[in-house]
């Protein structure tokens, strides 16, 4: 038996990390004190492969139903022994992952959710509605037992401030339904009037997307629930979401591993495994992070027309054509259009060619960063006197 007096959980949106950013996330997450980590926005990618394998190697229990290509999901990582939980959603099951951990007070069921985002199109709305309806059918009621539903819900509380007209009744309805079946919003229980946001847009608009809801039996045992903004706001940020930590008055059984940094791996520094430049990090990490963000956005929003690799490679030709158009405009060689562009426009179009090529490369291979660096080094060595 353990002498611990609380059981703590953390939900953390990984933002489908590159391999380099995953290394930094690993160091951060292994240093956290929470026993159970619910990691959302996972993917079938090199970054998530690294997290899964390294957590396994460090002695954690890892539950990671791998999403299909272009899909996102949930990984639950635990320093406590876990057992598989119930199937919560038949539709997009990798977005609703459930495990059970043992406590002196009885089993605790943990359900990690990553609810699909949507835009204004009918297919995306239908997808989100169907997933939330599956969750209503599959989630256990919260009026008895010990259950936590936690993760990135991509929904807001009905009286969220500020109010956004984009959100629909079915989204607010899921939040209300959780309360009707016995769950309490842990953050609101302890901070009824606070205005904090777990995701902030470029224009400064804030959204409380990340949630933890606890069953009635756990409500009186809430010790703390708070947002952890550092991973989102630090200079070399780990993700675009704030994390959310939750502490419950439970006594966990069977801790597998104490918190602490990962063991050194392949010669990297244990506390900060990604140097400014190395075989693993050939380009500034933020560049490839942003490329991954663009690729992810395309995966989720582009029309599914065959093999996406072909369309993204073809897009490079379109961008090259725009460079040519800008050059003609800068030189004034088309008498009908005259000097319609400047050389600054040419430079911008060249940047678009580079970015489009990088997105295409990241679509074709999970090792895009290292492949580009290897190729660049080869080209330099070819023209450099020995």
């Amino acid at each position: 038996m353990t002498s611990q007096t609380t059981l703590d959980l953390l939900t953390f949106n990984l933002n489908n990390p590159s391999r380099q950013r995953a290394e930094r996330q690993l160091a951060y997450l292994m240093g956290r004190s929470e026993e159970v980590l619910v990691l959302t926005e996972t993917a079938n990618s090199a970054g998530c492969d690294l997290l899964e394998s390294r957590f396994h190697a460090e002695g954690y229990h890892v539950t990671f139903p791998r999403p299909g290509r272009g899909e996102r999901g949930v990984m639950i990582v635990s320093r406590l022994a876990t057992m598989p939980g119930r199937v919560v959603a038949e539709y997009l099951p990798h977005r609703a992952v459930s495990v059970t951990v043992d406590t002196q007070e009885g089993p605790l069921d943990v359900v990690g959710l990553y609810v699909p985002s949507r835009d204004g199109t009918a297919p995306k709305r239908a997808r989100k509605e169907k997933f939330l309806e599956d969750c209503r059918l599959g989630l256990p009621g919260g009026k008895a037992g010990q259950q936590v539903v936690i993760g990135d819900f991509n929904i807001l509380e009905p009286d969220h401030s500020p109010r956004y007209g984009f959100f629909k009744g079915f989204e607010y309805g899921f939040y209300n339904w959780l309360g009707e079946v016995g769950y309490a919003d842990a953050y609101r229980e302890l901070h009824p009037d606070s205005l904090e946001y777990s995701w902030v847009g470029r224009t400064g608009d804030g959204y409380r997307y990340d949630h933890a809801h606890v069953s009635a039996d756990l409500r009186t045992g809430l010790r703390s629930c708070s947002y952890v903004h550092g991973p989102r706001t630090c200079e070399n940020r780990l993700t675009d979401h704030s994390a959310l930590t939750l502490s419950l008055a439970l006594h966990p059984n069977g801790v597998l591993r104490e918190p602490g940094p990962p063991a050194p791996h392949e010669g990297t520094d244990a506390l900060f495994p990604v140097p400014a430049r190395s075989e693993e990090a050939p380009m500034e990490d933020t560049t490839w992070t942003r490329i991954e963000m663009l690729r992810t956005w395309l995966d989720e929003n582009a029309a599914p027309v065959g093999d996406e690799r072909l369309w993204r490679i073809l897009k490079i030709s379109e961008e090259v054509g725009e460079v040519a158009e800008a050059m003609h405009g800068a030189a004034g060689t088309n008498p009908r259009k005259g000097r319609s562009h400047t050389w600054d426009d040419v430079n911008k179009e060249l940047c678009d060619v580079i970015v489009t090529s990088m997105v295409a490369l990241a679509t074709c291979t999970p090792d895009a960063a290292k492949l580009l660096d290897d190729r660049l080094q080869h080209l330099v060595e070819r023209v450099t006197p020995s």
Side-chain angles (χ1 to χ4, degrees):
M1 294 292 183
T2 180
S3 60
Q4 286 185 237
T5 58
T6 64
L7 192 156
D8 301 336
L9 304 93
L10 181 85
T11 183
F12 183 102
N13 182 302
L14 294 170
N15 191 216
N16 182 19
S18 65
R19 184 178 176 88
Q20 294 77 32
R21 185 156 53 90
E23 285 274 13
R24 295 190 291 112
Q25 290 177 340
L26 179 79
Y28 174 81
L29 292 168
M30 283 192 178
R32 297 290 306 184
S33 62
E34 292 87 359
E35 287 82 19
V36 180
L37 308 175
V38 176
L39 309 179
T40 61
E41 201 172 342
T42 61
N44 189 358
S45 65
C48 291
D49 287 348
L50 181 143
L51 288 166
E52 180 186 29
S53 63
R54 294 284 296 280
F55 274 121
H56 267 308
E58 294 284 345
Y60 290 74
H61 274 203
V62 181
T63 304
F64 181 34
R66 192 169 295 272
R69 186 172 182 83
E71 252 299 337
R72 301 292 178 264
V74 175
M75 180 190 303
I76 298 182
V77 177
S78 177
R79 293 194 290 110
L80 307 173
T82 63
M83 296 173 287
R86 67 169 65 203
V87 175
V88 172
E90 297 288 345
Y91 179 65
L92 305 178
H94 43 274
R95 287 179 174 265
V97 178
S98 177
V99 301
T100 300
V101 298
D102 189 32
T103 77
Q104 293 180 27
E105 293 75 18
L108 172 69
D109 297 326
V110 179
V111 178
L113 291 186
Y114 182 46
V115 178
S117 59
R118 70 170 179 88
D119 52 26
T121 63
K124 287 295 183 74
R125 172 172 174 159
R127 184 170 183 262
K128 189 172 187 178
E129 279 192 281
K130 180 170 176 54
F131 178 77
L132 291 176
E133 182 59 30
D134 254 29
C135 288
R136 289 191 191 212
L137 296 173
L139 282 169
K143 295 180 180 178
Q146 298 183 146
Q147 287 91 229
V148 175
V149 183
I150 184 171
D152 178 357
F153 291 8
N154 269 312
I155 62 172
L156 305 177
E157 55 199 325
D159 56 352
H160 186 278
S161 180
R163 180 81 176 182
Y164 299 109
F166 179 74
F167 288 88
K168 304 299 182 183
F170 78 90
E171 291 162 315
Y172 295 129
F174 181 73
Y175 180 97
N176 288 333
W177 174 83
L178 285 169
E180 291 165 4
V181 298
Y183 289 94
D185 181 335
Y187 179 80
R188 275 288 164 249
E189 284 287 301
L190 300 176
H191 311 280
D193 301 315
S194 294
L195 294 180
E196 279 193 279
Y197 308 112
S198 59
W199 190 86
V200 177
R202 291 184 178 180
T203 57
D205 46 329
Y207 302 77
R208 195 166 77 88
Y209 280 150
D210 299 81
H211 297 267
H213 288 240
V214 299
S215 58
D217 288 355
L218 298 176
R219 194 169 178 176
T220 57
L222 274 174
R223 290 295 175 262
S224 66
C225 184
S226 59
Y227 287 98
V228 184
H229 298 298
R232 175 178 63 84
T233 60
C234 63
E235 181 179 357
N236 196 11
R237 69 180 188 170
L238 299 175
T239 178
D240 61 348
H241 280 244
S242 297
L244 179 67
T245 184
L246 172 69
S247 184
L248 301 170
L250 296 175
H251 299 77
N253 291 326
V255 175
L256 301 171
R257 184 192 192 280
E258 295 303 321
H265 182 74
E266 297 179 357
T268 58
D269 186 307
L271 294 178
F272 197 76
V274 183
R277 182 173 179 81
S278 72
E279 291 300 314
E280 287 289 303
M283 184 176 288
E284 183 186 1
D285 186 44
T286 55
T287 299
W288 280 106
T289 297
R290 286 176 287 183
I291 293 298
E292 283 296 313
M293 290 172 68
L294 292 173
R295 184 188 64 79
T296 298
W297 181 85
L298 285 170
D299 285 348
E300 294 183 347
N301 292 281
V305 185
D307 189 337
E308 68 269 22
R309 294 174 298 180
L310 304 181
W311 297 102
R312 292 182 193 170
I313 293 170
L314 185 62
K315 179 71 174 174
I316 299 170
S317 297
E318 178 186 333
E319 297 296 342
V320 171
E322 291 181 9
V323 173
E325 180 184 9
M327 286 182 63
H328 280 290
T333 56
N334 185 335
R336 184 172 61 85
K337 295 184 178 180
R339 293 188 178 275
S340 57
H341 293 72
T342 68
W343 281 100
D344 283 344
D345 294 324
V346 176
N347 294 338
K348 291 175 183 176
E349 297 298 344
L350 284 171
C351 288
D352 287 351
V353 172
I354 294 168
V355 170
T356 302
S357 299
M358 292 174 73
V359 170
L361 184 62
T363 302
C364 292
T365 174
D367 296 317
K370 189 173 187 304
L371 181 60
L372 177 60
D373 193 59
D374 288 346
R375 185 61 182 169
L376 183 59
Q377 185 62 32
H378 166 76
L379 294 174
V380 169
E381 290 174 354
R382 196 167 68 179
V383 299
T384 303
S386 57

